Amino acid sequence: MEKGLMFRYDREADILYIDKRPPYAEQETEELGDEVIARINPDTDEIENLEVLFFSTRLLRRDMFEVPVSANLRVVRTRAS
């Protein structure tokens, strides 16, 4: 079953994590620029996790910032049991 995105913020490290699934050791890591790190499935090249470094600082500097990835967002529906 498809799961929604999970957002969590590490206040001490000032990192916003956006997760489709928990990170795992086999993922490849790529810096996308502008202090954004992607964790990528090595078999599908799908981005599974993003780390936005210096998140609160970004919010104070600008009104908006752009994450350099595309997304096909849709509602995750759960089935009634």
Side-chain angles (χ1 to χ4, degrees), residues 5 11 16 19-20 36 38 43-44 51-52 62 65 71 81:
L5 292 174
R11 184 182 305 265
L16 174 68
D19 299 325
K20 291 179 73 175
V36 176
D43 296 324
T44 65
E51 298 176 7
V52 181
R62 305 180 214 155
F65 72 94
S81 46

Side-chain angles (χ1 to χ4, degrees), residues 28-68:
E28 296 175 359
T29 301
E30 181 176 333
E31 182 166 353
L32 302 178
D34 200 21
E35 310 291 346
V36 176
I37 309 295
R39 300 203 181 279
I40 302 168
N41 181 309
D43 296 324
T44 65
D45 289 332
E46 179 183 14
I47 295 174
E48 298 177 318
N49 310 87
L50 286 174
E51 298 176 7
V52 181
L53 309 181
F54 310 109
F55 181 69
S56 69
T57 304
R58 291 167 184 269
L59 294 178
L60 294 173
R61 282 192 319 227
R62 305 180 214 155
D63 293 334
M64 294 179 35
F65 72 94
E66 181 176 344
V67 178

